[in-house]
PDB file of all heavy atoms in Angstrom:
ATOM      1  N   THR A 125      -3.426 -24.961   7.928  1.00 91.00           N
ATOM      2  CA  THR A 125      -1.961 -24.575   7.780  1.00 91.00           C
ATOM      3  C   THR A 125      -1.717 -23.632   6.659  1.00 91.00           C
ATOM      4  O   THR A 125      -0.618 -23.147   6.502  1.00 91.00           O
ATOM      5  CB  THR A 125      -1.116 -25.866   7.582  1.00 91.00           C
ATOM      6  OG1 THR A 125      -1.586 -26.510   6.408  1.00 91.00           O
ATOM      7  CG2 THR A 125      -1.231 -26.834   8.793  1.00 91.00           C
ATOM      8  N   ALA A 126      -2.689 -23.339   5.831  1.00 90.00           N
ATOM      9  CA  ALA A 126      -2.568 -22.318   4.767  1.00 90.00           C
ATOM     10  C   ALA A 126      -2.283 -20.958   5.312  1.00 90.00           C
ATOM     11  O   ALA A 126      -1.718 -20.100   4.571  1.00 90.00           O
ATOM     12  CB  ALA A 126      -3.849 -22.312   3.919  1.00 90.00           C
ATOM     13  N   ILE A 127      -2.558 -20.781   6.596  1.00 92.00           N
ATOM     14  CA  ILE A 127      -2.220 -19.517   7.222  1.00 92.00           C
ATOM     15  C   ILE A 127      -0.727 -19.183   7.138  1.00 92.00           C
ATOM     16  O   ILE A 127      -0.288 -18.008   7.174  1.00 92.00           O
ATOM     17  CB  ILE A 127      -2.754 -19.390   8.644  1.00 92.00           C
ATOM     18  CG1 ILE A 127      -2.769 -17.965   9.185  1.00 92.00           C
ATOM     19  CG2 ILE A 127      -1.879 -20.277   9.564  1.00 92.00           C
ATOM     20  CD1 ILE A 127      -3.807 -17.124   8.573  1.00 92.00           C
ATOM     21  N   LEU A 128       0.124 -20.227   6.955  1.00 94.00           N
ATOM     22  CA  LEU A 128       1.524 -19.966   6.834  1.00 94.00           C
ATOM     23  C   LEU A 128       1.869 -19.275   5.589  1.00 94.00           C
ATOM     24  O   LEU A 128       3.002 -18.726   5.461  1.00 94.00           O
ATOM     25  CB  LEU A 128       2.282 -21.344   6.879  1.00 94.00           C
ATOM     26  CG  LEU A 128       2.173 -22.107   8.141  1.00 94.00           C
ATOM     27  CD1 LEU A 128       2.837 -23.474   8.047  1.00 94.00           C
ATOM     28  CD2 LEU A 128       2.811 -21.344   9.324  1.00 94.00           C
ATOM     29  N   LEU A 129       1.040 -19.136   4.622  1.00 93.00           N
ATOM     30  CA  LEU A 129       1.308 -18.448   3.394  1.00 93.00           C
ATOM     31  C   LEU A 129       1.296 -16.879   3.596  1.00 93.00           C
ATOM     32  O   LEU A 129       1.641 -16.143   2.739  1.00 93.00           O
ATOM     33  CB  LEU A 129       0.222 -18.777   2.307  1.00 93.00           C
ATOM     34  CG  LEU A 129       0.363 -20.201   1.763  1.00 93.00           C
ATOM     35  CD1 LEU A 129      -0.880 -20.503   0.786  1.00 93.00           C
ATOM     36  CD2 LEU A 129       1.625 -20.327   0.948  1.00 93.00           C
ATOM     37  N   VAL A 130       0.920 -16.493   4.799  1.00 95.00           N
ATOM     38  CA  VAL A 130       0.973 -15.095   5.156  1.00 95.00           C
ATOM     39  C   VAL A 130       2.398 -14.624   5.462  1.00 95.00           C
ATOM     40  O   VAL A 130       2.690 -13.479   5.409  1.00 95.00           O
ATOM     41  CB  VAL A 130      -0.026 -14.776   6.358  1.00 95.00           C
ATOM     42  CG1 VAL A 130       0.149 -13.380   6.858  1.00 95.00           C
ATOM     43  CG2 VAL A 130      -1.412 -15.127   5.978  1.00 95.00           C
ATOM     44  N   ILE A 131       3.251 -15.621   5.800  1.00 95.00           N
ATOM     45  CA  ILE A 131       4.598 -15.292   6.245  1.00 95.00           C
ATOM     46  C   ILE A 131       5.408 -14.496   5.200  1.00 95.00           C
ATOM     47  O   ILE A 131       6.080 -13.507   5.619  1.00 95.00           O
ATOM     48  CB  ILE A 131       5.366 -16.594   6.623  1.00 95.00           C
ATOM     49  CG1 ILE A 131       4.754 -17.126   7.883  1.00 95.00           C
ATOM     50  CG2 ILE A 131       6.839 -16.336   6.818  1.00 95.00           C
ATOM     51  CD1 ILE A 131       5.184 -18.513   8.286  1.00 95.00           C
ATOM     52  N   PRO A 132       5.413 -14.818   3.903  1.00 95.00           N
ATOM     53  CA  PRO A 132       6.197 -13.950   2.959  1.00 95.00           C
ATOM     54  C   PRO A 132       5.823 -12.480   2.984  1.00 95.00           C
ATOM     55  O   PRO A 132       6.697 -11.580   3.043  1.00 95.00           O
ATOM     56  CB  PRO A 132       5.924 -14.491   1.627  1.00 95.00           C
ATOM     57  CG  PRO A 132       5.569 -15.965   1.843  1.00 95.00           C
ATOM     58  CD  PRO A 132       4.814 -15.938   3.223  1.00 95.00           C
ATOM     59  N   LEU A 133       4.530 -12.134   3.031  1.00 94.00           N
ATOM     60  CA  LEU A 133       4.148 -10.734   3.097  1.00 94.00           C
ATOM     61  C   LEU A 133       4.461 -10.106   4.435  1.00 94.00           C
ATOM     62  O   LEU A 133       4.836  -8.994   4.486  1.00 94.00           O
ATOM     63  CB  LEU A 133       2.627 -10.567   2.777  1.00 94.00           C
ATOM     64  CG  LEU A 133       2.137  -9.154   2.639  1.00 94.00           C
ATOM     65  CD1 LEU A 133       2.824  -8.496   1.443  1.00 94.00           C
ATOM     66  CD2 LEU A 133       0.596  -9.164   2.478  1.00 94.00           C
ATOM     67  N   ALA A 134       4.327 -10.895   5.464  1.00 94.00           N
ATOM     68  CA  ALA A 134       4.697 -10.419   6.839  1.00 94.00           C
ATOM     69  C   ALA A 134       6.176 -10.036   6.931  1.00 94.00           C
ATOM     70  O   ALA A 134       6.595  -9.040   7.517  1.00 94.00           O
ATOM     71  CB  ALA A 134       4.288 -11.430   7.845  1.00 94.00           C
ATOM     72  N   ILE A 135       6.997 -10.910   6.368  1.00 94.00           N
ATOM     73  CA  ILE A 135       8.493 -10.600   6.364  1.00 94.00           C
ATOM     74  C   ILE A 135       8.758  -9.398   5.569  1.00 94.00           C
ATOM     75  O   ILE A 135       9.497  -8.520   5.949  1.00 94.00           O
ATOM     76  CB  ILE A 135       9.268 -11.823   5.916  1.00 94.00           C
ATOM     77  CG1 ILE A 135       9.201 -12.939   6.937  1.00 94.00           C
ATOM     78  CG2 ILE A 135      10.684 -11.438   5.602  1.00 94.00           C
ATOM     79  CD1 ILE A 135       9.766 -14.274   6.424  1.00 94.00           C
ATOM     80  N   ASP A 136       8.152  -9.352   4.343  1.00 93.00           N
ATOM     81  CA  ASP A 136       8.384  -8.208   3.429  1.00 93.00           C
ATOM     82  C   ASP A 136       8.049  -6.846   4.127  1.00 93.00           C
ATOM     83  O   ASP A 136       8.790  -5.921   4.097  1.00 93.00           O
ATOM     84  CB  ASP A 136       7.609  -8.416   2.161  1.00 93.00           C
ATOM     85  CG  ASP A 136       7.685  -7.283   1.222  1.00 93.00           C
ATOM     86  OD1 ASP A 136       8.754  -6.580   1.183  1.00 93.00           O
ATOM     87  OD2 ASP A 136       6.737  -7.049   0.433  1.00 93.00           O
ATOM     88  N   CYS A 137       6.846  -6.809   4.654  1.00 91.00           N
ATOM     89  CA  CYS A 137       6.360  -5.562   5.258  1.00 91.00           C
ATOM     90  C   CYS A 137       6.920  -5.337   6.661  1.00 91.00           C
ATOM     91  O   CYS A 137       7.024  -4.219   7.081  1.00 91.00           O
ATOM     92  CB  CYS A 137       4.859  -5.540   5.303  1.00 91.00           C
ATOM     93  SG  CYS A 137       4.079  -5.524   3.639  1.00 91.00           S
ATOM     94  N   GLY A 138       7.251  -6.434   7.356  1.00 91.00           N
ATOM     95  CA  GLY A 138       7.798  -6.334   8.681  1.00 91.00           C
ATOM     96  C   GLY A 138       9.185  -5.611   8.781  1.00 91.00           C
ATOM     97  O   GLY A 138       9.500  -5.065   9.841  1.00 91.00           O
ATOM     98  N   ILE A 139       9.807  -5.608   7.689  1.00 92.00           N
ATOM     99  CA  ILE A 139      11.193  -4.963   7.697  1.00 92.00           C
ATOM    100  C   ILE A 139      10.963  -3.442   7.898  1.00 92.00           C
ATOM    101  O   ILE A 139      11.894  -2.806   8.411  1.00 92.00           O
ATOM    102  CB  ILE A 139      11.955  -5.241   6.366  1.00 92.00           C
ATOM    103  CG1 ILE A 139      12.287  -6.733   6.374  1.00 92.00           C
ATOM    104  CG2 ILE A 139      13.117  -4.393   6.124  1.00 92.00           C
ATOM    105  CD1 ILE A 139      12.971  -7.245   5.221  1.00 92.00           C
ATOM    106  N   ALA A 140       9.862  -2.863   7.548  1.00 90.00           N
ATOM    107  CA  ALA A 140       9.591  -1.442   7.749  1.00 90.00           C
ATOM    108  C   ALA A 140       9.569  -1.093   9.199  1.00 90.00           C
ATOM    109  O   ALA A 140       9.834   0.084   9.608  1.00 90.00           O
ATOM    110  CB  ALA A 140       8.285  -1.041   7.069  1.00 90.00           C
ATOM    111  N   PHE A 141       9.248  -2.038  10.080  1.00 89.00           N
ATOM    112  CA  PHE A 141       9.220  -1.776  11.514  1.00 89.00           C
ATOM    113  C   PHE A 141      10.627  -1.488  12.086  1.00 89.00           C
ATOM    114  O   PHE A 141      10.799  -0.672  12.963  1.00 89.00           O
ATOM    115  CB  PHE A 141       8.640  -2.930  12.342  1.00 89.00           C
ATOM    116  CG  PHE A 141       7.140  -3.006  12.172  1.00 89.00           C
ATOM    117  CD1 PHE A 141       6.518  -3.969  11.399  1.00 89.00           C
ATOM    118  CD2 PHE A 141       6.289  -2.067  12.884  1.00 89.00           C
ATOM    119  CE1 PHE A 141       5.144  -4.070  11.304  1.00 89.00           C
ATOM    120  CE2 PHE A 141       4.939  -2.071  12.776  1.00 89.00           C
ATOM    121  CZ  PHE A 141       4.352  -3.082  12.055  1.00 89.00           C
ATOM    122  N   ASN A 142      11.592  -2.101  11.499  1.00 89.00           N
ATOM    123  CA  ASN A 142      12.963  -2.005  11.957  1.00 89.00           C
ATOM    124  C   ASN A 142      13.693  -0.810  11.301  1.00 89.00           C
ATOM    125  O   ASN A 142      14.720  -0.346  11.796  1.00 89.00           O
ATOM    126  CB  ASN A 142      13.782  -3.250  11.643  1.00 89.00           C
ATOM    127  CG  ASN A 142      13.351  -4.376  12.470  1.00 89.00           C
ATOM    128  OD1 ASN A 142      12.854  -4.222  13.645  1.00 89.00           O
ATOM    129  ND2 ASN A 142      13.524  -5.593  11.927  1.00 89.00           N
ATOM    130  N   ASP A 143      13.198  -0.272  10.197  1.00 87.00           N
ATOM    131  CA  ASP A 143      13.824   0.858   9.521  1.00 87.00           C
ATOM    132  C   ASP A 143      13.205   2.162  10.157  1.00 87.00           C
ATOM    133  O   ASP A 143      12.141   2.655   9.741  1.00 87.00           O
ATOM    134  CB  ASP A 143      13.501   0.789   8.076  1.00 87.00           C
ATOM    135  CG  ASP A 143      14.267   1.865   7.264  1.00 87.00           C
ATOM    136  OD1 ASP A 143      15.039   2.658   7.874  1.00 87.00           O
ATOM    137  OD2 ASP A 143      14.021   1.968   6.017  1.00 87.00           O
ATOM    138  N   THR A 144      13.873   2.705  11.117  1.00 85.00           N
ATOM    139  CA  THR A 144      13.373   3.902  11.746  1.00 85.00           C
ATOM    140  C   THR A 144      13.598   5.201  10.982  1.00 85.00           C
ATOM    141  O   THR A 144      12.945   6.172  11.186  1.00 85.00           O
ATOM    142  CB  THR A 144      13.974   4.077  13.108  1.00 85.00           C
ATOM    143  OG1 THR A 144      15.445   4.100  13.060  1.00 85.00           O
ATOM    144  CG2 THR A 144      13.650   2.922  14.032  1.00 85.00           C
ATOM    145  N   GLN A 145      14.541   5.123  10.039  1.00 87.00           N
ATOM    146  CA  GLN A 145      14.897   6.326   9.313  1.00 87.00           C
ATOM    147  C   GLN A 145      13.915   6.603   8.143  1.00 87.00           C
ATOM    148  O   GLN A 145      13.294   7.667   8.077  1.00 87.00           O
ATOM    149  CB  GLN A 145      16.326   6.276   8.780  1.00 87.00           C
ATOM    150  CG  GLN A 145      16.864   7.509   8.139  1.00 87.00           C
ATOM    151  CD  GLN A 145      18.242   7.497   7.710  1.00 87.00           C
ATOM    152  OE1 GLN A 145      18.760   6.407   7.546  1.00 87.00           O
ATOM    153  NE2 GLN A 145      18.828   8.650   7.469  1.00 87.00           N
ATOM    154  N   LEU A 146      13.712   5.616   7.260  1.00 86.00           N
ATOM    155  CA  LEU A 146      12.900   5.805   6.060  1.00 86.00           C
ATOM    156  C   LEU A 146      11.615   5.009   6.060  1.00 86.00           C
ATOM    157  O   LEU A 146      10.772   5.201   5.279  1.00 86.00           O
ATOM    158  CB  LEU A 146      13.650   5.518   4.796  1.00 86.00           C
ATOM    159  CG  LEU A 146      14.781   6.538   4.429  1.00 86.00           C
ATOM    160  CD1 LEU A 146      15.481   6.062   3.150  1.00 86.00           C
ATOM    161  CD2 LEU A 146      14.272   7.923   4.253  1.00 86.00           C
ATOM    162  N   ARG A 147      11.543   4.019   6.992  1.00 89.00           N
ATOM    163  CA  ARG A 147      10.377   3.108   7.052  1.00 89.00           C
ATOM    164  C   ARG A 147      10.057   2.427   5.786  1.00 89.00           C
ATOM    165  O   ARG A 147       8.969   2.324   5.332  1.00 89.00           O
ATOM    166  CB  ARG A 147       9.166   3.864   7.582  1.00 89.00           C
ATOM    167  CG  ARG A 147       9.221   4.356   8.982  1.00 89.00           C
ATOM    168  CD  ARG A 147       7.891   4.905   9.405  1.00 89.00           C
ATOM    169  NE  ARG A 147       8.008   5.606  10.750  1.00 89.00           N
ATOM    170  CZ  ARG A 147       7.483   6.691  11.037  1.00 89.00           C
ATOM    171  NH1 ARG A 147       6.735   7.294  10.204  1.00 89.00           N
ATOM    172  NH2 ARG A 147       7.681   7.195  12.216  1.00 89.00           N
ATOM    173  N   GLN A 148      11.165   1.907   5.139  1.00 92.00           N
ATOM    174  CA  GLN A 148      11.012   1.192   3.883  1.00 92.00           C
ATOM    175  C   GLN A 148      10.831  -0.300   4.156  1.00 92.00           C
ATOM    176  O   GLN A 148      11.586  -0.937   4.895  1.00 92.00           O
ATOM    177  CB  GLN A 148      12.257   1.405   3.024  1.00 92.00           C
ATOM    178  CG  GLN A 148      12.372   2.820   2.423  1.00 92.00           C
ATOM    179  CD  GLN A 148      13.636   2.881   1.587  1.00 92.00           C
ATOM    180  OE1 GLN A 148      14.705   2.718   2.064  1.00 92.00           O
ATOM    181  NE2 GLN A 148      13.435   3.231   0.328  1.00 92.00           N
ATOM    182  N   ALA A 149       9.859  -0.895   3.453  1.00 93.00           N
ATOM    183  CA  ALA A 149       9.718  -2.346   3.457  1.00 93.00           C
ATOM    184  C   ALA A 149      10.733  -2.907   2.464  1.00 93.00           C
ATOM    185  O   ALA A 149      11.436  -2.150   1.749  1.00 93.00           O
ATOM    186  CB  ALA A 149       8.297  -2.716   3.098  1.00 93.00           C
ATOM    187  N   LEU A 150      10.803  -4.271   2.379  1.00 94.00           N
ATOM    188  CA  LEU A 150      11.755  -4.873   1.542  1.00 94.00           C
ATOM    189  C   LEU A 150      11.539  -4.487   0.084  1.00 94.00           C
ATOM    190  O   LEU A 150      12.460  -4.246  -0.608  1.00 94.00           O
ATOM    191  CB  LEU A 150      11.697  -6.420   1.756  1.00 94.00           C
ATOM    192  CG  LEU A 150      12.774  -7.269   0.974  1.00 94.00           C
ATOM    193  CD1 LEU A 150      14.157  -6.884   1.499  1.00 94.00           C
ATOM    194  CD2 LEU A 150      12.453  -8.651   1.193  1.00 94.00           C
ATOM    195  N   HIS A 151      10.269  -4.460  -0.327  1.00 95.00           N
ATOM    196  CA  HIS A 151      10.035  -4.147  -1.706  1.00 95.00           C
ATOM    197  C   HIS A 151      10.340  -2.673  -1.994  1.00 95.00           C
ATOM    198  O   HIS A 151      10.681  -2.321  -3.150  1.00 95.00           O
ATOM    199  CB  HIS A 151       8.598  -4.448  -2.113  1.00 95.00           C
ATOM    200  CG  HIS A 151       7.504  -3.794  -1.232  1.00 95.00           C
ATOM    201  ND1 HIS A 151       7.086  -4.442  -0.040  1.00 95.00           N
ATOM    202  CD2 HIS A 151       6.902  -2.599  -1.282  1.00 95.00           C
ATOM    203  CE1 HIS A 151       6.138  -3.659   0.487  1.00 95.00           C
ATOM    204  NE2 HIS A 151       6.037  -2.571  -0.221  1.00 95.00           N
ATOM    205  N   ASP A 152      10.214  -1.794  -1.044  1.00 94.00           N
ATOM    206  CA  ASP A 152      10.635  -0.439  -1.203  1.00 94.00           C
ATOM    207  C   ASP A 152      12.127  -0.241  -1.368  1.00 94.00           C
ATOM    208  O   ASP A 152      12.659   0.468  -2.226  1.00 94.00           O
ATOM    209  CB  ASP A 152      10.167   0.441  -0.003  1.00 94.00           C
ATOM    210  CG  ASP A 152       8.718   0.683   0.000  1.00 94.00           C
ATOM    211  OD1 ASP A 152       8.098   0.938  -1.038  1.00 94.00           O
ATOM    212  OD2 ASP A 152       8.134   0.636   1.124  1.00 94.00           O
ATOM    213  N   ARG A 153      12.875  -1.009  -0.529  1.00 93.00           N
ATOM    214  CA  ARG A 153      14.363  -0.940  -0.619  1.00 93.00           C
ATOM    215  C   ARG A 153      14.854  -1.452  -2.012  1.00 93.00           C
ATOM    216  O   ARG A 153      15.728  -0.874  -2.559  1.00 93.00           O
ATOM    217  CB  ARG A 153      14.968  -1.706   0.456  1.00 93.00           C
ATOM    218  CG  ARG A 153      14.812  -1.076   1.856  1.00 93.00           C
ATOM    219  CD  ARG A 153      15.474  -1.934   2.857  1.00 93.00           C
ATOM    220  NE  ARG A 153      15.247  -1.369   4.218  1.00 93.00           N
ATOM    221  CZ  ARG A 153      15.807  -1.795   5.254  1.00 93.00           C
ATOM    222  NH1 ARG A 153      16.604  -2.843   5.250  1.00 93.00           N
ATOM    223  NH2 ARG A 153      15.588  -1.262   6.441  1.00 93.00           N
ATOM    224  N   TYR A 154      14.279  -2.549  -2.405  1.00 95.00           N
ATOM    225  CA  TYR A 154      14.697  -3.138  -3.682  1.00 95.00           C
ATOM    226  C   TYR A 154      14.442  -2.197  -4.896  1.00 95.00           C
ATOM    227  O   TYR A 154      15.221  -2.083  -5.776  1.00 95.00           O
ATOM    228  CB  TYR A 154      14.043  -4.478  -3.930  1.00 95.00           C
ATOM    229  CG  TYR A 154      14.420  -5.147  -5.193  1.00 95.00           C
ATOM    230  CD1 TYR A 154      15.702  -5.668  -5.363  1.00 95.00           C
ATOM    231  CD2 TYR A 154      13.545  -5.286  -6.230  1.00 95.00           C
ATOM    232  CE1 TYR A 154      16.027  -6.298  -6.518  1.00 95.00           C
ATOM    233  CE2 TYR A 154      13.894  -5.864  -7.438  1.00 95.00           C
ATOM    234  CZ  TYR A 154      15.130  -6.408  -7.544  1.00 95.00           C
ATOM    235  OH  TYR A 154      15.507  -6.991  -8.715  1.00 95.00           O
ATOM    236  N   SER A 155      13.299  -1.549  -4.833  1.00 95.00           N
ATOM    237  CA  SER A 155      12.922  -0.697  -6.003  1.00 95.00           C
ATOM    238  C   SER A 155      13.310   0.732  -5.831  1.00 95.00           C
ATOM    239  O   SER A 155      13.105   1.541  -6.807  1.00 95.00           O
ATOM    240  CB  SER A 155      11.440  -0.830  -6.270  1.00 95.00           C
ATOM    241  OG  SER A 155      10.711  -0.272  -5.111  1.00 95.00           O
ATOM    242  N   GLY A 156      13.832   1.190  -4.733  1.00 94.00           N
ATOM    243  CA  GLY A 156      14.187   2.534  -4.507  1.00 94.00           C
ATOM    244  C   GLY A 156      12.979   3.515  -4.351  1.00 94.00           C
ATOM    245  O   GLY A 156      13.032   4.583  -4.955  1.00 94.00           O
ATOM    246  N   THR A 157      12.021   3.090  -3.552  1.00 95.00           N
ATOM    247  CA  THR A 157      10.850   3.918  -3.400  1.00 95.00           C
ATOM    248  C   THR A 157      10.532   4.131  -1.915  1.00 95.00           C
ATOM    249  O   THR A 157      11.134   3.446  -1.026  1.00 95.00           O
ATOM    250  CB  THR A 157       9.592   3.226  -4.058  1.00 95.00           C
ATOM    251  OG1 THR A 157       9.404   1.934  -3.442  1.00 95.00           O
ATOM    252  CG2 THR A 157       9.758   3.079  -5.518  1.00 95.00           C
ATOM    253  N   ILE A 158       9.647   5.033  -1.598  1.00 94.00           N
ATOM    254  CA  ILE A 158       9.228   5.279  -0.265  1.00 94.00           C
ATOM    255  C   ILE A 158       7.750   5.775  -0.260  1.00 94.00           C
ATOM    256  O   ILE A 158       7.366   6.387  -1.266  1.00 94.00           O
ATOM    257  CB  ILE A 158      10.129   6.332   0.444  1.00 94.00           C
ATOM    258  CG1 ILE A 158       9.769   6.459   1.920  1.00 94.00           C
ATOM    259  CG2 ILE A 158      10.019   7.691  -0.244  1.00 94.00           C
ATOM    260  CD1 ILE A 158      10.736   7.335   2.671  1.00 94.00           C
ATOM    261  N   ILE A 159       6.979   5.449   0.750  1.00 94.00           N
ATOM    262  CA  ILE A 159       5.647   5.941   0.843  1.00 94.00           C
ATOM    263  C   ILE A 159       5.699   7.169   1.795  1.00 94.00           C
ATOM    264  O   ILE A 159       6.191   7.050   2.927  1.00 94.00           O
ATOM    265  CB  ILE A 159       4.730   4.825   1.457  1.00 94.00           C
ATOM    266  CG1 ILE A 159       4.713   3.544   0.594  1.00 94.00           C
ATOM    267  CG2 ILE A 159       3.295   5.306   1.567  1.00 94.00           C
ATOM    268  CD1 ILE A 159       4.156   3.749  -0.739  1.00 94.00           C
ATOM    269  N   VAL A 160       5.122   8.248   1.374  1.00 94.00           N
ATOM    270  CA  VAL A 160       5.049   9.473   2.186  1.00 94.00           C
ATOM    271  C   VAL A 160       3.620   9.953   2.309  1.00 94.00           C
ATOM    272  O   VAL A 160       2.712   9.576   1.504  1.00 94.00           O
ATOM    273  CB  VAL A 160       5.912  10.576   1.569  1.00 94.00           C
ATOM    274  CG1 VAL A 160       7.376  10.211   1.533  1.00 94.00           C
ATOM    275  CG2 VAL A 160       5.471  10.968   0.197  1.00 94.00           C
ATOM    276  N   SER A 161       3.391  10.778   3.306  1.00 93.00           N
ATOM    277  CA  SER A 161       2.073  11.423   3.455  1.00 93.00           C
ATOM    278  C   SER A 161       1.840  12.402   2.347  1.00 93.00           C
ATOM    279  O   SER A 161       2.778  13.059   1.883  1.00 93.00           O
ATOM    280  CB  SER A 161       1.926  12.067   4.799  1.00 93.00           C
ATOM    281  OG  SER A 161       1.993  11.103   5.841  1.00 93.00           O
ATOM    282  N   SER A 162       0.619  12.627   1.936  1.00 91.00           N
ATOM    283  CA  SER A 162       0.339  13.510   0.919  1.00 91.00           C
ATOM    284  C   SER A 162      -0.870  14.380   1.366  1.00 91.00           C
ATOM    285  O   SER A 162      -1.623  14.024   2.255  1.00 91.00           O
ATOM    286  CB  SER A 162      -0.162  12.679  -0.337  1.00 91.00           C
ATOM    287  OG  SER A 162      -0.644  13.486  -1.331  1.00 91.00           O
ATOM    288  N   ARG A 163      -1.025  15.535   0.713  1.00 87.00           N
ATOM    289  CA  ARG A 163      -2.144  16.381   0.961  1.00 87.00           C
ATOM    290  C   ARG A 163      -3.332  16.015   0.038  1.00 87.00           C
ATOM    291  O   ARG A 163      -4.403  16.512   0.237  1.00 87.00           O
ATOM    292  CB  ARG A 163      -1.806  17.832   0.759  1.00 87.00           C
ATOM    293  CG  ARG A 163      -0.802  18.317   1.760  1.00 87.00           C
ATOM    294  CD  ARG A 163      -0.542  19.778   1.570  1.00 87.00           C
ATOM    295  NE  ARG A 163       0.370  20.201   2.534  1.00 87.00           N
ATOM    296  CZ  ARG A 163       1.189  21.248   2.439  1.00 87.00           C
ATOM    297  NH1 ARG A 163       1.099  21.996   1.381  1.00 87.00           N
ATOM    298  NH2 ARG A 163       2.024  21.613   3.402  1.00 87.00           N
ATOM    299  N   ARG A 164      -3.102  15.239  -0.910  1.00 86.00           N
ATOM    300  CA  ARG A 164      -4.058  14.897  -1.956  1.00 86.00           C
ATOM    301  C   ARG A 164      -4.707  13.502  -1.544  1.00 86.00           C
ATOM    302  O   ARG A 164      -3.991  12.529  -1.505  1.00 86.00           O
ATOM    303  CB  ARG A 164      -3.389  14.840  -3.300  1.00 86.00           C
ATOM    304  CG  ARG A 164      -4.278  14.390  -4.410  1.00 86.00           C
ATOM    305  CD  ARG A 164      -3.500  14.313  -5.728  1.00 86.00           C
ATOM    306  NE  ARG A 164      -4.378  13.948  -6.827  1.00 86.00           N
ATOM    307  CZ  ARG A 164      -4.461  12.766  -7.347  1.00 86.00           C
ATOM    308  NH1 ARG A 164      -3.797  11.784  -6.803  1.00 86.00           N
ATOM    309  NH2 ARG A 164      -5.213  12.539  -8.316  1.00 86.00           N
ATOM    310  N   GLY A 165      -5.985  13.490  -1.280  1.00 87.00           N
ATOM    311  CA  GLY A 165      -6.607  12.209  -0.940  1.00 87.00           C
ATOM    312  C   GLY A 165      -7.972  12.430  -0.321  1.00 87.00           C
ATOM    313  O   GLY A 165      -8.477  13.516  -0.261  1.00 87.00           O
ATOM    314  N   TYR A 166      -8.515  11.345   0.183  1.00 85.00           N
ATOM    315  CA  TYR A 166      -9.868  11.408   0.689  1.00 85.00           C
ATOM    316  C   TYR A 166      -9.841  11.430   2.257  1.00 85.00           C
ATOM    317  O   TYR A 166     -10.828  11.788   2.862  1.00 85.00           O
ATOM    318  CB  TYR A 166     -10.610  10.082   0.308  1.00 85.00           C
ATOM    319  CG  TYR A 166     -12.015  10.005   0.750  1.00 85.00           C
ATOM    320  CD1 TYR A 166     -12.941  10.864   0.200  1.00 85.00           C
ATOM    321  CD2 TYR A 166     -12.462   9.092   1.664  1.00 85.00           C
ATOM    322  CE1 TYR A 166     -14.281  10.788   0.526  1.00 85.00           C
ATOM    323  CE2 TYR A 166     -13.761   9.055   2.135  1.00 85.00           C
ATOM    324  CZ  TYR A 166     -14.644   9.923   1.535  1.00 85.00           C
ATOM    325  OH  TYR A 166     -15.960   9.855   1.869  1.00 85.00           O
TER     326      TYR A 166
END
Side-chain angles (χ1 to χ4, degrees):
T125 59
I127 196 70
L128 295 175
L129 290 172
V130 174
I131 292 173
L133 188 62
I135 290 171
D136 177 29
C137 295
I139 291 179
F141 285 106
N142 292 330
D143 186 5
T144 57
Q145 188 176 20
L146 292 177
R147 292 188 189 137
Q148 287 179 301
L150 186 63
H151 56 268
D152 287 320
R153 288 182 184 187
Y154 179 70
S155 62
T157 59
I158 188 171
I159 303 291
V160 296
S161 293
S162 172
R163 292 184 181 158
R164 178 181 182 262
Y166 184 69

